[in-house]
């Protein structure tokens, strides 16, 4: 699944920033965020799924996709 206008990803970050954030858009170069610490984006080349102190570590088991559906 991908991020879309109706779907966001809640990410558990480690490394440089250790907290939860919301990814609202992904491009080849950036992950756009809606974040309480005012971080507007992450550069994808600085992201990893490995543990790393100087990079943004996105933990795969801490990724939640949330999708909005129209109610009927």
């Amino acid at each position: 699944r991908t991020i879309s206008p109706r779907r966001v990803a809640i990410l558990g970050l480690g490394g440089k920033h250790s907290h939860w954030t919301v990814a609202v858009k992904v491009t080849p170069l950036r992950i756009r965020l809606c974040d309480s610490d005012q971080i507007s984006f992450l550069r994808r080349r600085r992201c990893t799924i490995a543990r790393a102190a100087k990079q943004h570590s996105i933990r795969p088991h801490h990724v939640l996709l949330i999708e909005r559906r129209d109610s009927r």
Side-chain angles (χ1 to χ4, degrees), residues 8-43:
V8 299
I10 299 173
L11 307 175
L13 296 178
K16 187 173 182 179
H17 299 284
S18 185
H19 72 225
W20 292 90
T21 190
V22 179
V24 295
K25 184 176 180 179
V26 177
T27 71
L29 299 176
R30 295 180 177 186
I31 300 172
R32 176 78 51 199
L33 304 176
C34 181
D35 186 86
S36 62
D37 280 355
Q38 306 303 312
I39 303 166
S40 59
F41 66 90
L42 301 175
R43 288 183 179 87

Side-chain angles (χ1 to χ4, degrees), residues 3 5 12 21 24 29 35 44-45 50-51 56 59 65 68:
I3 294 174
T21 190
V24 295
L29 299 176
D35 186 86
R44 288 185 66 179
R45 65 181 167 87
R51 290 185 183 255
H56 306 291
R59 298 178 180 154
L65 291 176
R68 181 185 57 162

